[in-house]
Amino acid sequence: MASEFALIARHFSRPTPHTVLGVGDDCALIAPRAGHELLVSSDMLVAGTHFLADTDPGRLGWKTAAVNLSDIAAMGGAPRWITLALALPAADEAWIGALAEGFAECCAAHGVDWVGGDTTRGPLTLCATVLGEAPAGCAIRRSGAQPGDEVWISGTPGRAALGLRHLLDATPLAADWQAPCVTALEQPLPRVELGQGLRGIATAMLDVSDGLCGDLAHILAASACGAVLEEAALPLAPLVAACGDPALARRCLLSGGDDYELLFTAPPGQRAAVDRLSARTGLPLHRIGLCTAEPGLRLRGPDGHAVPLAPTGFDHFA
Ligand code: ADP
Ligand code: MG
């Protein structure tokens, strides 16, 4: 088995062009830009809880970086530096090499330097900590939504939940939807360009990791308002095409997690700006509802009637 230090030298020491000092000393040294605030976030992935133990290591490495970068994107920040702490049951070098490659690839795609970490023996667990920057005062929090703001979601949320059901043999998917749904689950794309583009446009934002309703409820609680979602505006068609079951499609869209799409609110006067950003990023942005002074989350069906929606996000301790 390779030693901890050989593993670090071979797989975890990468070029860090945006960093004063990278891997190899007791700490990395970074120099944030003047006039910027630092954003810091950690995300841990535990085998059996957050991923299937037989997941392809390259994809797992990608996802570990992506879910961390997504948190920076969700506040309108630019992700800049990341560390990776690893607990590994055994030093399977091919597996570790593939994991490191996938992690580094996602970082490189967004100009993020992998500046350090920790490597230890233990039950398979991956924990990354990412640092990002935003001009002082410009990060987009969860607390800024106002009654009258519109609710938007990026991309095609619900695909990752369908991908998981496909892998677990719970739901057969149409042949041409299998790869997109499994890729949405295993290699999510952090919406980094979109997040920064929404500075000055979005009033509140987060990335959907635990389900659209549950995560929207976090914005509503932080902003002390409510919202009505329009069923007709939800991007359900691709999910129905994938699984052929409208009720399941709706459930995956509203409460499936793991897509890492951005959910945000913006005043109606910003519609044109949001549409321009959608064109620039090549990412569909769907206007799915409206914030209300009345608290709670409701869904308006085709009959015009709004019914309460349970905030059914994923909760590890529920
Ligand atoms: P220390 O004992 O001083 O904490 P370590 O032996 O844990 O140092 O790590 C040595 C160097 O290797 C440090 O710069 C650390 O950031 C880096 N390192 C260790 N594990 C990883 C990893 N998984 N990814 C990136 N860098 C790592
Ligand atoms: Mg250490």
Side-chain angles (χ1 to χ4, degrees):
M1 168 180 153
S3 76
E4 174 189 335
F5 302 104
L7 289 175
I8 294 169
R10 259 184 239 142
H11 302 293
F12 306 146
S13 304
R14 309 268 168 162
T16 51
H18 314 291
T19 304
V20 180
L21 184 66
V23 166
D25 213 312
D26 294 304
C27 293
L29 293 172
I30 61 176
R33 272 177 275 209
H36 285 61
E37 286 166 342
L38 280 178
L39 297 85
V40 185
S41 176
S42 294
D43 251 307
M44 183 152 65
L45 283 81
V46 178
T49 302
H50 300 95
F51 61 91
L52 306 171
D54 64 354
T55 300
D56 172 80
R59 290 186 157 212
L60 182 58
W62 174 286
K63 182 165 181 172
T64 305
V67 302
N68 278 273
L69 269 51
S70 175
D71 279 320
I72 302 293
M75 294 193 74
R80 302 265 285 148
W81 303 279
I82 196 164
T83 65
L84 176 63
L86 283 171
L88 301 164
D92 172 346
E93 201 157 345
W95 193 94
I96 293 169
L99 178 92
E101 209 46 54
F103 187 84
E105 197 189 324
C106 182
C107 294
H110 296 282
V112 173
D113 283 0
W114 180 3
V115 298
D118 201 19
T119 307
T120 181
R121 189 186 286 271
L124 182 55
T125 305
L126 311 166
C127 182
T129 296
V130 63
L131 293 107
E133 292 174 318
C138 293
I140 305 166
R141 306 178 186 202
R142 298 179 175 189
S143 52
Q146 299 273 345
D149 285 355
E150 294 170 323
V151 180
W152 296 77
I153 182 82
S154 66
T156 310
R159 283 188 310 180
L162 283 180
L164 180 60
R165 295 183 67 90
H166 172 73
L167 291 181
L168 297 175
D169 288 326
T171 303
L173 298 182
D176 52 345
W177 280 97
Q178 293 172 8
C181 290
V182 172
T183 299
L185 174 73
E186 294 187 342
Q187 279 187 300
L189 297 172
R191 305 305 190 187
V192 170
E193 188 187 358
L194 173 64
Q196 289 172 82
L198 283 167
R199 290 203 297 248
I201 297 174
T203 49
M205 179 154 67
L206 49 61
D207 62 329
V208 177
S209 54
D210 297 331
L212 197 158
C213 287
D215 283 330
L216 178 53
H218 295 316
I219 287 185
L220 301 181
S223 300
C225 64
V228 181
L229 298 181
E230 300 291 341
E231 176 147 7
L234 299 175
L236 275 167
L239 304 181
V240 176
C243 72
D245 177 346
L248 176 65
R250 191 165 158 283
R251 201 145 38 89
C252 287
L253 190 147
L254 291 175
S255 35
D258 251 4
D259 285 290
Y260 300 94
E261 295 295 352
L262 294 184
L263 177 65
F264 60 95
T265 57
Q270 295 287 1
R271 271 186 207 174
V274 175
D275 288 337
R276 277 196 300 277
L277 195 52
S278 172
R280 198 180 90 203
T281 55
L283 186 62
L285 300 175
H286 311 279
R287 186 160 43 83
I288 58 170
L290 191 65
C291 295
T292 58
E294 186 187 339
L297 179 54
R298 293 168 299 282
L299 180 68
R300 196 190 321 276
D303 60 356
H305 210 71
V307 295
L309 264 179
T312 45
F314 184 75
D315 180 338
H316 283 278
F317 297 104

